PDB file of all heavy atoms in Angstrom:
ATOM      1  N   GLU U   1     -10.767  -8.640 -11.762  1.00 92.00           N
ATOM      2  CA  GLU U   1      -9.403  -8.984 -11.331  1.00 92.00           C
ATOM      3  C   GLU U   1      -9.010  -8.175 -10.117  1.00 92.00           C
ATOM      4  O   GLU U   1      -9.229  -6.965 -10.077  1.00 92.00           O
ATOM      5  CB  GLU U   1      -8.424  -8.728 -12.478  1.00 92.00           C
ATOM      6  CG  GLU U   1      -8.520  -9.753 -13.604  1.00 92.00           C
ATOM      7  CD  GLU U   1      -8.063 -11.155 -13.130  1.00 92.00           C
ATOM      8  OE1 GLU U   1      -7.016 -11.246 -12.485  1.00 92.00           O
ATOM      9  OE2 GLU U   1      -8.831 -12.087 -13.401  1.00 92.00           O
ATOM     10  N   PRO U   2      -8.374  -8.795  -9.128  1.00 95.00           N
ATOM     11  CA  PRO U   2      -7.922  -8.054  -7.954  1.00 95.00           C
ATOM     12  C   PRO U   2      -6.672  -7.229  -8.256  1.00 95.00           C
ATOM     13  O   PRO U   2      -5.844  -7.618  -9.074  1.00 95.00           O
ATOM     14  CB  PRO U   2      -7.645  -9.150  -6.929  1.00 95.00           C
ATOM     15  CG  PRO U   2      -7.207 -10.308  -7.802  1.00 95.00           C
ATOM     16  CD  PRO U   2      -8.030 -10.231  -9.030  1.00 95.00           C
ATOM     17  N   ILE U   3      -6.525  -6.162  -7.498  1.00 95.00           N
ATOM     18  CA  ILE U   3      -5.218  -5.461  -7.464  1.00 95.00           C
ATOM     19  C   ILE U   3      -4.365  -6.184  -6.447  1.00 95.00           C
ATOM     20  O   ILE U   3      -4.785  -6.404  -5.310  1.00 95.00           O
ATOM     21  CB  ILE U   3      -5.406  -3.993  -7.038  1.00 95.00           C
ATOM     22  CG1 ILE U   3      -6.301  -3.227  -8.039  1.00 95.00           C
ATOM     23  CG2 ILE U   3      -4.060  -3.291  -6.886  1.00 95.00           C
ATOM     24  CD1 ILE U   3      -6.583  -1.823  -7.597  1.00 95.00           C
ATOM     25  N   ARG U   4      -3.135  -6.551  -6.850  1.00 95.00           N
ATOM     26  CA  ARG U   4      -2.176  -7.209  -5.928  1.00 95.00           C
ATOM     27  C   ARG U   4      -0.993  -6.287  -5.743  1.00 95.00           C
ATOM     28  O   ARG U   4      -0.308  -5.939  -6.711  1.00 95.00           O
ATOM     29  CB  ARG U   4      -1.758  -8.570  -6.467  1.00 95.00           C
ATOM     30  CG  ARG U   4      -2.896  -9.546  -6.685  1.00 95.00           C
ATOM     31  CD  ARG U   4      -2.389 -10.924  -7.019  1.00 95.00           C
ATOM     32  NE  ARG U   4      -3.455 -11.795  -7.521  1.00 95.00           N
ATOM     33  CZ  ARG U   4      -3.662 -12.070  -8.815  1.00 95.00           C
ATOM     34  NH1 ARG U   4      -2.852 -11.581  -9.729  1.00 95.00           N
ATOM     35  NH2 ARG U   4      -4.670 -12.824  -9.145  1.00 95.00           N
ATOM     36  N   ILE U   5      -0.736  -5.914  -4.504  1.00 94.00           N
ATOM     37  CA  ILE U   5       0.369  -4.988  -4.212  1.00 94.00           C
ATOM     38  C   ILE U   5       1.257  -5.597  -3.115  1.00 94.00           C
ATOM     39  O   ILE U   5       0.730  -6.053  -2.093  1.00 94.00           O
ATOM     40  CB  ILE U   5      -0.151  -3.607  -3.713  1.00 94.00           C
ATOM     41  CG1 ILE U   5      -1.186  -3.043  -4.743  1.00 94.00           C
ATOM     42  CG2 ILE U   5       0.989  -2.611  -3.561  1.00 94.00           C
ATOM     43  CD1 ILE U   5      -1.883  -1.805  -4.251  1.00 94.00           C
ATOM     44  N   THR U   6       2.579  -5.574  -3.350  1.00 95.00           N
ATOM     45  CA  THR U   6       3.502  -6.001  -2.338  1.00 95.00           C
ATOM     46  C   THR U   6       4.279  -4.805  -1.830  1.00 95.00           C
ATOM     47  O   THR U   6       4.882  -4.050  -2.638  1.00 95.00           O
ATOM     48  CB  THR U   6       4.500  -7.044  -2.912  1.00 95.00           C
ATOM     49  OG1 THR U   6       3.768  -8.203  -3.349  1.00 95.00           O
ATOM     50  CG2 THR U   6       5.515  -7.460  -1.859  1.00 95.00           C
ATOM     51  N   TYR U   7       4.271  -4.593  -0.522  1.00 94.00           N
ATOM     52  CA  TYR U   7       5.018  -3.500   0.095  1.00 94.00           C
ATOM     53  C   TYR U   7       6.265  -4.068   0.735  1.00 94.00           C
ATOM     54  O   TYR U   7       6.184  -5.026   1.531  1.00 94.00           O
ATOM     55  CB  TYR U   7       4.145  -2.812   1.160  1.00 94.00           C
ATOM     56  CG  TYR U   7       2.981  -2.069   0.607  1.00 94.00           C
ATOM     57  CD1 TYR U   7       1.741  -2.725   0.444  1.00 94.00           C
ATOM     58  CD2 TYR U   7       3.039  -0.748   0.223  1.00 94.00           C
ATOM     59  CE1 TYR U   7       0.654  -2.038  -0.072  1.00 94.00           C
ATOM     60  CE2 TYR U   7       1.943  -0.047  -0.278  1.00 94.00           C
ATOM     61  CZ  TYR U   7       0.774  -0.697  -0.442  1.00 94.00           C
ATOM     62  OH  TYR U   7      -0.328  -0.059  -0.936  1.00 94.00           O
ATOM     63  N   ASP U   8       7.436  -3.470   0.408  1.00 92.00           N
ATOM     64  CA  ASP U   8       8.678  -3.889   0.988  1.00 92.00           C
ATOM     65  C   ASP U   8       9.197  -2.749   1.885  1.00 92.00           C
ATOM     66  O   ASP U   8       9.595  -1.697   1.422  1.00 92.00           O
ATOM     67  CB  ASP U   8       9.699  -4.209  -0.119  1.00 92.00           C
ATOM     68  CG  ASP U   8      10.986  -4.792   0.453  1.00 92.00           C
ATOM     69  OD1 ASP U   8      11.123  -4.849   1.676  1.00 92.00           O
ATOM     70  OD2 ASP U   8      11.842  -5.176  -0.382  1.00 92.00           O
ATOM     71  N   TYR U   9       9.191  -3.042   3.182  1.00 92.00           N
ATOM     72  CA  TYR U   9       9.642  -2.032   4.141  1.00 92.00           C
ATOM     73  C   TYR U   9      11.128  -2.151   4.464  1.00 92.00           C
ATOM     74  O   TYR U   9      11.640  -1.456   5.339  1.00 92.00           O
ATOM     75  CB  TYR U   9       8.812  -2.137   5.427  1.00 92.00           C
ATOM     76  CG  TYR U   9       7.456  -1.505   5.276  1.00 92.00           C
ATOM     77  CD1 TYR U   9       6.411  -2.161   4.600  1.00 92.00           C
ATOM     78  CD2 TYR U   9       7.182  -0.235   5.787  1.00 92.00           C
ATOM     79  CE1 TYR U   9       5.195  -1.543   4.445  1.00 92.00           C
ATOM     80  CE2 TYR U   9       5.930   0.370   5.630  1.00 92.00           C
ATOM     81  CZ  TYR U   9       4.965  -0.313   4.963  1.00 92.00           C
ATOM     82  OH  TYR U   9       3.716   0.282   4.796  1.00 92.00           O
ATOM     83  N   GLY U  10      11.833  -3.024   3.746  1.00 85.00           N
ATOM     84  CA  GLY U  10      13.252  -3.154   3.899  1.00 85.00           C
ATOM     85  C   GLY U  10      13.670  -3.691   5.251  1.00 85.00           C
ATOM     86  O   GLY U  10      12.879  -4.259   5.977  1.00 85.00           O
ATOM     87  N   THR U  11      14.980  -3.518   5.559  1.00 78.00           N
ATOM     88  CA  THR U  11      15.520  -3.999   6.813  1.00 78.00           C
ATOM     89  C   THR U  11      16.189  -2.831   7.533  1.00 78.00           C
ATOM     90  O   THR U  11      16.512  -1.827   6.948  1.00 78.00           O
ATOM     91  CB  THR U  11      16.566  -5.118   6.567  1.00 78.00           C
ATOM     92  OG1 THR U  11      17.592  -4.621   5.714  1.00 78.00           O
ATOM     93  CG2 THR U  11      15.902  -6.304   5.925  1.00 78.00           C
ATOM     94  N   GLU U  12      16.416  -3.019   8.823  1.00 67.00           N
ATOM     95  CA  GLU U  12      17.057  -2.008   9.641  1.00 67.00           C
ATOM     96  C   GLU U  12      18.474  -1.791   9.140  1.00 67.00           C
ATOM     97  O   GLU U  12      19.312  -2.694   9.169  1.00 67.00           O
ATOM     98  CB  GLU U  12      17.066  -2.448  11.110  1.00 67.00           C
ATOM     99  CG  GLU U  12      17.838  -1.517  12.031  1.00 67.00           C
ATOM    100  CD  GLU U  12      17.387  -0.094  11.950  1.00 67.00           C
ATOM    101  OE1 GLU U  12      16.184   0.147  11.892  1.00 67.00           O
ATOM    102  OE2 GLU U  12      18.238   0.802  11.891  1.00 67.00           O
ATOM    103  N   ASP U  13      18.775  -0.574   8.669  1.00 65.00           N
ATOM    104  CA  ASP U  13      20.067  -0.260   8.096  1.00 65.00           C
ATOM    105  C   ASP U  13      20.785   0.889   8.851  1.00 65.00           C
ATOM    106  O   ASP U  13      21.714   1.486   8.326  1.00 65.00           O
ATOM    107  CB  ASP U  13      19.970   0.110   6.625  1.00 65.00           C
ATOM    108  CG  ASP U  13      18.991   1.275   6.424  1.00 65.00           C
ATOM    109  OD1 ASP U  13      18.485   1.839   7.407  1.00 65.00           O
ATOM    110  OD2 ASP U  13      18.723   1.630   5.233  1.00 65.00           O
ATOM    111  N   GLY U  14      20.332   1.192  10.052  1.00 63.00           N
ATOM    112  CA  GLY U  14      20.928   2.256  10.828  1.00 63.00           C
ATOM    113  C   GLY U  14      20.299   3.603  10.582  1.00 63.00           C
ATOM    114  O   GLY U  14      20.597   4.577  11.278  1.00 63.00           O
ATOM    115  N   SER U  15      19.355   3.669   9.622  1.00 70.00           N
ATOM    116  CA  SER U  15      18.703   4.961   9.313  1.00 70.00           C
ATOM    117  C   SER U  15      17.747   5.319  10.435  1.00 70.00           C
ATOM    118  O   SER U  15      17.120   4.470  11.059  1.00 70.00           O
ATOM    119  CB  SER U  15      17.957   4.843   7.983  1.00 70.00           C
ATOM    120  OG  SER U  15      17.144   5.981   7.786  1.00 70.00           O
ATOM    121  N   GLU U  16      17.607   6.622  10.663  1.00 76.00           N
ATOM    122  CA  GLU U  16      16.680   7.119  11.699  1.00 76.00           C
ATOM    123  C   GLU U  16      15.274   7.299  11.144  1.00 76.00           C
ATOM    124  O   GLU U  16      14.363   7.665  11.867  1.00 76.00           O
ATOM    125  CB  GLU U  16      17.206   8.414  12.265  1.00 76.00           C
ATOM    126  CG  GLU U  16      18.502   8.288  13.070  1.00 76.00           C
ATOM    127  CD  GLU U  16      18.351   7.384  14.271  1.00 76.00           C
ATOM    128  OE1 GLU U  16      17.303   7.454  14.935  1.00 76.00           O
ATOM    129  OE2 GLU U  16      19.289   6.603  14.525  1.00 76.00           O
ATOM    130  N   SER U  17      15.087   7.113   9.845  1.00 85.00           N
ATOM    131  CA  SER U  17      13.776   7.342   9.226  1.00 85.00           C
ATOM    132  C   SER U  17      12.896   6.083   9.294  1.00 85.00           C
ATOM    133  O   SER U  17      13.405   4.951   9.228  1.00 85.00           O
ATOM    134  CB  SER U  17      13.959   7.728   7.759  1.00 85.00           C
ATOM    135  OG  SER U  17      14.681   8.952   7.613  1.00 85.00           O
ATOM    136  N   GLY U  18      11.586   6.324   9.447  1.00 91.00           N
ATOM    137  CA  GLY U  18      10.635   5.238   9.340  1.00 91.00           C
ATOM    138  C   GLY U  18      10.137   5.155   7.922  1.00 91.00           C
ATOM    139  O   GLY U  18      10.499   5.974   7.076  1.00 91.00           O
ATOM    140  N   LYS U  19       9.279   4.186   7.637  1.00 93.00           N
ATOM    141  CA  LYS U  19       8.693   4.025   6.348  1.00 93.00           C
ATOM    142  C   LYS U  19       7.189   3.976   6.420  1.00 93.00           C
ATOM    143  O   LYS U  19       6.612   3.292   7.295  1.00 93.00           O
ATOM    144  CB  LYS U  19       9.272   2.787   5.653  1.00 93.00           C
ATOM    145  CG  LYS U  19      10.750   2.926   5.307  1.00 93.00           C
ATOM    146  CD  LYS U  19      11.233   1.800   4.422  1.00 93.00           C
ATOM    147  CE  LYS U  19      12.693   2.074   4.006  1.00 93.00           C
ATOM    148  NZ  LYS U  19      13.190   0.995   3.104  1.00 93.00           N
ATOM    149  N   LEU U  20       6.544   4.721   5.490  1.00 94.00           N
ATOM    150  CA  LEU U  20       5.087   4.852   5.559  1.00 94.00           C
ATOM    151  C   LEU U  20       4.488   4.674   4.171  1.00 94.00           C
ATOM    152  O   LEU U  20       5.009   5.194   3.176  1.00 94.00           O
ATOM    153  CB  LEU U  20       4.735   6.254   6.112  1.00 94.00           C
ATOM    154  CG  LEU U  20       3.254   6.669   6.070  1.00 94.00           C
ATOM    155  CD1 LEU U  20       2.443   5.838   7.031  1.00 94.00           C
ATOM    156  CD2 LEU U  20       3.125   8.150   6.428  1.00 94.00           C
ATOM    157  N   SER U  21       3.398   3.921   4.086  1.00 93.00           N
ATOM    158  CA  SER U  21       2.616   3.835   2.863  1.00 93.00           C
ATOM    159  C   SER U  21       1.246   4.449   3.101  1.00 93.00           C
ATOM    160  O   SER U  21       0.676   4.293   4.183  1.00 93.00           O
ATOM    161  CB  SER U  21       2.464   2.369   2.410  1.00 93.00           C
ATOM    162  OG  SER U  21       1.855   1.581   3.425  1.00 93.00           O
ATOM    163  N   ARG U  22       0.755   5.203   2.119  1.00 92.00           N
ATOM    164  CA  ARG U  22      -0.546   5.878   2.229  1.00 92.00           C
ATOM    165  C   ARG U  22      -1.390   5.538   0.960  1.00 92.00           C
ATOM    166  O   ARG U  22      -0.911   5.666  -0.164  1.00 92.00           O
ATOM    167  CB  ARG U  22      -0.334   7.374   2.303  1.00 92.00           C
ATOM    168  CG  ARG U  22       0.252   7.854   3.637  1.00 92.00           C
ATOM    169  CD  ARG U  22       1.024   9.162   3.538  1.00 92.00           C
ATOM    170  NE  ARG U  22       0.289  10.218   2.873  1.00 92.00           N
ATOM    171  CZ  ARG U  22      -0.394  11.219   3.408  1.00 92.00           C
ATOM    172  NH1 ARG U  22      -0.461  11.283   4.717  1.00 92.00           N
ATOM    173  NH2 ARG U  22      -0.941  12.150   2.707  1.00 92.00           N
ATOM    174  N   THR U  23      -2.614   5.096   1.234  1.00 93.00           N
ATOM    175  CA  THR U  23      -3.466   4.651   0.127  1.00 93.00           C
ATOM    176  C   THR U  23      -4.875   5.187   0.285  1.00 93.00           C
ATOM    177  O   THR U  23      -5.456   5.173   1.394  1.00 93.00           O
ATOM    178  CB  THR U  23      -3.532   3.115   0.072  1.00 93.00           C
ATOM    179  OG1 THR U  23      -2.188   2.576   0.033  1.00 93.00           O
ATOM    180  CG2 THR U  23      -4.296   2.629  -1.138  1.00 93.00           C
ATOM    181  N   ALA U  24      -5.440   5.686  -0.811  1.00 93.00           N
ATOM    182  CA  ALA U  24      -6.834   6.082  -0.865  1.00 93.00           C
ATOM    183  C   ALA U  24      -7.599   5.182  -1.841  1.00 93.00           C
ATOM    184  O   ALA U  24      -7.085   4.918  -2.979  1.00 93.00           O
ATOM    185  CB  ALA U  24      -6.987   7.529  -1.288  1.00 93.00           C
ATOM    186  N   ILE U  25      -8.744   4.705  -1.453  1.00 95.00           N
ATOM    187  CA  ILE U  25      -9.572   3.856  -2.320  1.00 95.00           C
ATOM    188  C   ILE U  25     -10.980   4.480  -2.391  1.00 95.00           C
ATOM    189  O   ILE U  25     -11.617   4.621  -1.388  1.00 95.00           O
ATOM    190  CB  ILE U  25      -9.685   2.401  -1.772  1.00 95.00           C
ATOM    191  CG1 ILE U  25      -8.287   1.795  -1.659  1.00 95.00           C
ATOM    192  CG2 ILE U  25     -10.560   1.554  -2.695  1.00 95.00           C
ATOM    193  CD1 ILE U  25      -8.267   0.434  -1.003  1.00 95.00           C
ATOM    194  N   VAL U  26     -11.370   4.847  -3.626  1.00 95.00           N
ATOM    195  CA  VAL U  26     -12.650   5.523  -3.818  1.00 95.00           C
ATOM    196  C   VAL U  26     -13.476   4.709  -4.794  1.00 95.00           C
ATOM    197  O   VAL U  26     -13.050   4.466  -5.929  1.00 95.00           O
ATOM    198  CB  VAL U  26     -12.409   6.968  -4.358  1.00 95.00           C
ATOM    199  CG1 VAL U  26     -13.773   7.640  -4.563  1.00 95.00           C
ATOM    200  CG2 VAL U  26     -11.548   7.758  -3.449  1.00 95.00           C
ATOM    201  N   LEU U  27     -14.665   4.299  -4.341  1.00 97.00           N
ATOM    202  CA  LEU U  27     -15.548   3.469  -5.179  1.00 97.00           C
ATOM    203  C   LEU U  27     -16.790   4.260  -5.572  1.00 97.00           C
ATOM    204  O   LEU U  27     -17.508   4.762  -4.709  1.00 97.00           O
ATOM    205  CB  LEU U  27     -15.943   2.230  -4.408  1.00 97.00           C
ATOM    206  CG  LEU U  27     -14.831   1.316  -3.885  1.00 97.00           C
ATOM    207  CD1 LEU U  27     -15.410   0.111  -3.182  1.00 97.00           C
ATOM    208  CD2 LEU U  27     -13.875   0.938  -4.983  1.00 97.00           C
ATOM    209  N   GLY U  28     -17.019   4.306  -6.860  1.00 97.00           N
ATOM    210  CA  GLY U  28     -18.261   4.933  -7.356  1.00 97.00           C
ATOM    211  C   GLY U  28     -19.485   4.106  -7.101  1.00 97.00           C
ATOM    212  O   GLY U  28     -19.363   2.913  -6.708  1.00 97.00           O
ATOM    213  N   GLU U  29     -20.642   4.654  -7.291  1.00 98.00           N
ATOM    214  CA  GLU U  29     -21.880   3.970  -7.022  1.00 98.00           C
ATOM    215  C   GLU U  29     -21.976   2.645  -7.756  1.00 98.00           C
ATOM    216  O   GLU U  29     -21.648   2.556  -8.945  1.00 98.00           O
ATOM    217  CB  GLU U  29     -23.088   4.871  -7.383  1.00 98.00           C
ATOM    218  CG  GLU U  29     -24.408   4.312  -6.969  1.00 98.00           C
ATOM    219  CD  GLU U  29     -25.544   5.297  -7.156  1.00 98.00           C
ATOM    220  OE1 GLU U  29     -25.248   6.527  -7.113  1.00 98.00           O
ATOM    221  OE2 GLU U  29     -26.708   4.866  -7.336  1.00 98.00           O
ATOM    222  N   ALA U  30     -22.359   1.544  -7.045  1.00 98.00           N
ATOM    223  CA  ALA U  30     -22.578   0.243  -7.582  1.00 98.00           C
ATOM    224  C   ALA U  30     -21.280  -0.378  -8.162  1.00 98.00           C
ATOM    225  O   ALA U  30     -21.368  -1.287  -8.982  1.00 98.00           O
ATOM    226  CB  ALA U  30     -23.671   0.231  -8.657  1.00 98.00           C
ATOM    227  N   SER U  31     -20.151   0.048  -7.696  1.00 98.00           N
ATOM    228  CA  SER U  31     -18.889  -0.540  -8.176  1.00 98.00           C
ATOM    229  C   SER U  31     -18.386  -1.578  -7.157  1.00 98.00           C
ATOM    230  O   SER U  31     -18.835  -1.615  -5.999  1.00 98.00           O
ATOM    231  CB  SER U  31     -17.805   0.547  -8.342  1.00 98.00           C
ATOM    232  OG  SER U  31     -17.481   1.145  -7.094  1.00 98.00           O
ATOM    233  N   GLU U  32     -17.432  -2.414  -7.620  1.00 98.00           N
ATOM    234  CA  GLU U  32     -16.859  -3.430  -6.764  1.00 98.00           C
ATOM    235  C   GLU U  32     -15.362  -3.582  -7.049  1.00 98.00           C
ATOM    236  O   GLU U  32     -14.952  -3.472  -8.203  1.00 98.00           O
ATOM    237  CB  GLU U  32     -17.575  -4.790  -6.963  1.00 98.00           C
ATOM    238  CG  GLU U  32     -19.005  -4.814  -6.508  1.00 98.00           C
ATOM    239  CD  GLU U  32     -19.656  -6.186  -6.673  1.00 98.00           C
ATOM    240  OE1 GLU U  32     -18.916  -7.170  -7.010  1.00 98.00           O
ATOM    241  OE2 GLU U  32     -20.890  -6.304  -6.519  1.00 98.00           O
ATOM    242  N   LEU U  33     -14.594  -3.846  -5.998  1.00 97.00           N
ATOM    243  CA  LEU U  33     -13.160  -3.974  -6.134  1.00 97.00           C
ATOM    244  C   LEU U  33     -12.569  -4.876  -5.052  1.00 97.00           C
ATOM    245  O   LEU U  33     -13.054  -4.862  -3.943  1.00 97.00           O
ATOM    246  CB  LEU U  33     -12.471  -2.610  -6.069  1.00 97.00           C
ATOM    247  CG  LEU U  33     -10.961  -2.516  -6.161  1.00 97.00           C
ATOM    248  CD1 LEU U  33     -10.462  -2.987  -7.534  1.00 97.00           C
ATOM    249  CD2 LEU U  33     -10.418  -1.165  -5.820  1.00 97.00           C
TER     250      LEU U  33
END
């Protein structure tokens, strides 16, 4: 089964901050994803 992820970065609301997503994917020997 696949992992399904939805990222919502919102809308411009006057904030000075940006938005960042960080992901690590580690696959062991002979694995599949």
Side-chain angles (χ1 to χ4, degrees):
E1 287 294 312
I3 298 175
R4 301 188 192 101
I5 307 172
T6 299
Y7 293 89
D8 187 354
Y9 282 78
T11 57
E12 173 55 42
D13 56 5
S15 172
E16 293 299 321
S17 298
K19 292 191 175 180
L20 172 68
S21 56
R22 289 154 49 100
T23 306
I25 302 174
V26 181
L27 304 182
E29 187 171 335
S31 65
E32 294 183 7
L33 178 66

